[in-house]
Amino acid sequence: MSENLTVIAIDGPSASGKSSVSRMVAKALGYNYVDSGAMYRAVTWKVIEEGLDVTDTEQVLALIHRMKIHFEIVDGAARMFVGGVDPGNAVREPRVAEKVSIIAAIPEVRQLLVAQQRSLTKFGSLVMEGRDIGSVVFPDTPHKFYLDADPAVRAQRRTKDFQAMKISADTAGVAQALQQRDKLDSSRATSPLQIALGATVINNSHQTLEETVKTILDHIKQSGTRRGAMRVQ
Ligand code: CDP
Ligand code: CDP
């Protein structure tokens, strides 16, 4: 059965403000918030926990095919459970961040997670952030945004995030890791990071989170809720 739903797609590179902005937009609209990057991170975390080599695609595929995944909405945000476990902040650790782009480049992993991401409309309208939400996961939504910020600003933001989590990090090392991940994410064959057709690009290097959120909400209001409704099977 079809129902009318609104999906807001927010894509962009690391530390461009996607998670913070998407959470705030979702809260303002009363929609659910979905962090698709956390799903790729959770799969990567599981691969590492199982002691597998992330470059051993055969073993990784065997694992994902036996992996039991389910979702719960907690405080307006979708949480992914792997084998009944919510990995929580463990997915933010550098050991996961270093490997996630390798796992995310495997077409079968993307196929599995894109299907899961689309299925989350069963919980209602949503704001989903990632790398390919406007281009691949929900290409039909009229609400597509691409956030960006200067690499140096992004590195400073992520360094502060690590420090707040008591993870030791220096800006130069973080900048290098981000650059490497940007490169892998933008150059992979399947669903690379790109500006989706029709997306509104917002460079927020010199914006506060509130300013970016306002720009997005104004845009959505202008395009109207009727246009925003999307048919989902
Ligand atoms: O938080 P940050 O922006 O650093 O990364 P993330 O959104 O948690 O995503 C982690 C990684 O997952 C990215 O670097 C991509 O390799 C992958 N990813 C993806 O391929 N497609 C998505 N829709 C979301 C994330
Ligand atoms: O999800 P993504 O990796 O794109 O970025 P994020 O985790 O939302 O943002 C990274 C950090 O930058 C967070 O601590 C945000 O609060 C901060 N940020 C900021 O201070 N000002 C902005 N305009 C955007 C993000």
Side-chain angles (χ1 to χ4, degrees), residues 12-21 33 129 131 157-158 160-161 204-205 207-209 212:
S14 214
S16 59
K18 299 182 302 297
S19 309
S20 322
V21 166
Y33 159 69
E129 51 113 342
R131 301 292 188 287
R157 290 175 179 169
R158 194 40 45 96
K160 267 199 202 162
D161 289 342
N204 59 30
S205 301
Q207 280 187 341
T208 62
L209 290 171
T212 310

Side-chain angles (χ1 to χ4, degrees), residues 39-48 50 52 59-70 80-84 103 109 112-113 116:
M39 301 181 194
Y40 291 94
R41 285 173 180 266
V43 170
T44 307
W45 167 82
K46 185 67 177 170
V47 168
I48 295 170
E50 295 278 315
L52 303 182
Q59 289 231 41
V60 170
L61 290 184
L63 174 67
I64 67 158
H65 287 132
R66 63 173 189 271
M67 211 178 249
K68 297 242 180 317
I69 291 173
H70 83 274
M80 177 164 135
F81 290 71
V82 181
I103 294 294
V109 171
L112 170 86
L113 292 184
Q116 297 285 350

Side-chain angles (χ1 to χ4, degrees), residues 158-210:
R158 194 40 45 96
T159 307
K160 267 199 202 162
D161 289 342
F162 281 137
Q163 285 165 353
M165 287 190 283
K166 307 262 182 277
I167 294 172
S168 76
D170 66 281
T171 314
V174 171
Q176 203 181 9
L178 287 193
Q179 193 187 15
Q180 197 186 1
R181 199 138 58 86
D182 285 355
K183 198 171 152 202
L184 283 172
D185 290 343
S186 308
S187 62
R188 67 176 174 232
T190 314
S191 315
L193 168 66
Q194 60 182 333
I195 301 171
L197 201 68
T200 300
V201 179
I202 303 170
N203 186 314
N204 59 30
S205 301
H206 306 292
Q207 280 187 341
T208 62
L209 290 171
E210 289 73 18

Side-chain angles (χ1 to χ4, degrees), residues 109-128:
V109 171
R110 303 202 70 81
Q111 211 179 351
L112 170 86
L113 292 184
V114 167
Q116 297 285 350
Q117 288 153 13
R118 290 184 180 142
S119 79
L120 294 176
T121 53
K122 70 183 176 214
F123 294 116
S125 292
L126 48 89
V127 180
M128 187 178 290

Side-chain angles (χ1 to χ4, degrees), residues 36 53 133 162:
S36 67
D53 175 353
I133 310 307
F162 281 137

Side-chain angles (χ1 to χ4, degrees), residues 12 55 57 64 79 97 107 129 145-146 150 159 176 191 200 222 232:
T55 61
T57 307
I64 67 158
R79 305 283 324 174
E129 51 113 342
F145 299 90
Y146 185 94
D150 299 341
T159 307
Q176 203 181 9
S191 315
T200 300
Q222 268 168 24
V232 176

